[in-house]
Amino acid sequence: MKYADLHVHTTYSDSTLTPEELVKKTKLAGLDCVAVVDHDTVEGIVPSIDAGLCCGIEVLPGIELSCDFNNAEVHILGYLVDITNPTLLATLADIRKIRLDRMYEMTVKLKDLGVNIAPEEVFALANTQNIGRLHLAQVLLKRGYVKTISEAFYRYIGDRSPAYVCGFKLSPQKAMHLIKEAGGVPVLAHPYILGNDDVIPVFVDDGLMGIEVFYPEHSASKTEHYKNMAAKYNLLMTGGSDCHGAAKPDVVMGAIKIPYTLVEKLKEAKENI
Ligand code: AMP
Ligand code: ZN
Ligand code: FE
Ligand code: FE
């Protein structure tokens, strides 16, 4: 049997793992295939594919697009996208700018809450142009404002917390269209975060082709539930750990292992786009 993890990040977004470290951990976890789905960037794909060649790990190109859906953040995964697609790359350049602006806005909000962090501190820690909240959370931890990464989210920068700024302009509908234009397969990431399954059929009408059924935060009953939803709406099933290395210490490679047959289904679906 071959196994895959279809949701991991690299240092090109907000993981602490370089492509080389990532594929080593993939190998050690007994996996054969991994999909790199950095937030709003494909910069890590070629380095990860190259790193994978050295230790026999198949790296699939992907992306996790940040969208605004009624002021809530929704993540749409795009598997097997053409990472040279000009429309995709132009959109990603816009989002990179939004991410920078939003970091300034979030640090202003934090200041009002008595937390003094300069955006430059976050940029220095991130060491990438693709700035995100997990970078900010690590600075909050380093500076002693919080004791854990998850405290940074529930006290300050989580989706419903006082210093949160969404700022993303892409709708899930546009994101799915963009992914298909780039030859990719659009999949709804971690559906439990939405907390509202009624939107799934709406997304299906807009072009959704799969849902992330297997995810560390999905209980056995939730997994079963999303399996049933996939069957009901004729959606592909995917799954992954959402590993971010040391930035999310509780999530390790190997936490999710899906059968490679699901990767084959994804590849077949791509051929029919
Ligand atoms: P951003 O792309 O800047 O909106 O940040 C998204 C990142 O924050 C992703 O890596 C998420 O997994 C992470 N994240 C969101 N909420 C939480 C949370 N409550 N605890 C830990 N990480 C979180
Ligand atoms: Zn992330
Ligand atoms: Fe996500
Ligand atoms: Fe993710």
Side-chain angles (χ1 to χ4, degrees):
M1 271 288 271
K2 278 172 73 177
Y3 292 97
D5 179 337
L6 298 183
H7 192 150
V8 300
H9 296 271
T10 73
T11 41
Y12 288 86
S13 66
D14 56 356
S15 169
T16 59
L17 297 175
T18 62
E20 292 74 21
E21 290 163 344
L22 171 71
V23 294
K24 271 187 204 141
K25 283 195 185 289
T26 306
K27 186 94 185 163
L28 282 171
L31 292 152
D32 306 279
C33 170
V34 73
V36 170
V37 293
D38 279 325
H39 302 282
D40 308 310
T41 181
V42 290
E43 290 167 0
I45 301 299
V46 170
S48 299
I49 291 172
D50 287 348
L53 290 175
C54 302
C55 57
I57 294 294
E58 178 184 6
V59 175
L60 303 177
I63 190 147
E64 184 171 15
L65 288 175
S66 310
C67 306
D68 178 309
F69 184 66
N70 303 330
N71 289 320
E73 196 170 312
V74 168
H75 292 174
I76 302 288
L77 298 160
Y79 289 108
L80 308 171
V81 284
D82 169 9
I83 60 169
T84 66
N85 180 276
T87 319
L88 176 64
L89 293 177
T91 306
L92 299 183
D94 289 344
I95 302 179
R96 190 176 308 139
K97 166 94 174 44
I98 286 171
R99 284 185 166 278
L100 285 172
D101 293 345
R102 152 185 199 257
M103 193 51 66
Y104 282 97
E105 287 174 47
M106 280 196 279
T107 52
V108 168
K109 284 192 164 192
L110 282 172
K111 199 162 194 158
D112 294 340
L113 298 166
V115 175
N116 287 300
I117 304 259
E120 289 72 22
E121 287 177 73
V122 185
F123 303 154
L125 175 132
N127 196 25
T128 163
Q129 300 267 295
N130 307 300
I131 302 298
R133 284 182 288 163
L134 205 50
H135 298 124
L136 176 55
Q138 288 171 91
V139 174
L140 286 166
L141 182 66
K142 258 193 168 173
R143 290 278 305 275
Y145 284 110
V146 294
K147 291 199 172 55
T148 61
I149 293 288
S150 74
E151 185 188 349
F153 280 89
Y154 70 70
R155 267 183 77 180
Y156 296 115
I157 56 172
D159 293 22
R160 288 171 204 83
S161 303
Y164 174 64
V165 174
C166 179
F168 297 112
K169 302 204 167 46
L170 203 61
S171 65
Q173 186 179 17
K174 277 197 180 143
M176 293 187 281
H177 186 74
L178 185 65
I179 289 165
K180 281 188 170 170
E181 284 278 305
V185 181
V187 171
L188 178 63
H190 36 64
Y192 83 102
I193 290 182
L194 275 169
N196 175 12
D197 290 341
D198 295 345
V199 301
I200 293 177
V202 178
F203 290 171
V204 171
D205 284 344
D206 291 338
L208 188 71
M209 295 175 68
I211 49 172
E212 193 170 45
V213 170
F214 308 98
Y215 193 75
E217 262 89 16
H218 287 176
S219 61
S221 64
K222 272 230 150 59
T223 304
E224 203 50 40
H225 170 73
Y226 288 119
K227 265 187 197 172
N228 292 336
M229 297 225 54
K232 181 171 176 187
Y233 295 107
N234 197 22
L235 294 167
L236 295 157
M237 295 195 293
T238 70
S241 64
D242 210 351
C243 175
H244 285 75
K248 276 199 188 178
D250 300 338
V251 183
V252 294
M253 291 297 302
I256 296 286
K257 290 179 168 188
I258 66 164
Y260 192 80
T261 46
L262 295 178
V263 176
E264 285 164 349
K265 291 207 167 117
L266 210 51
K267 288 180 177 178
E268 277 166 31
K270 179 193 162 61
E271 294 313 312
N272 298 320
I273 284 170

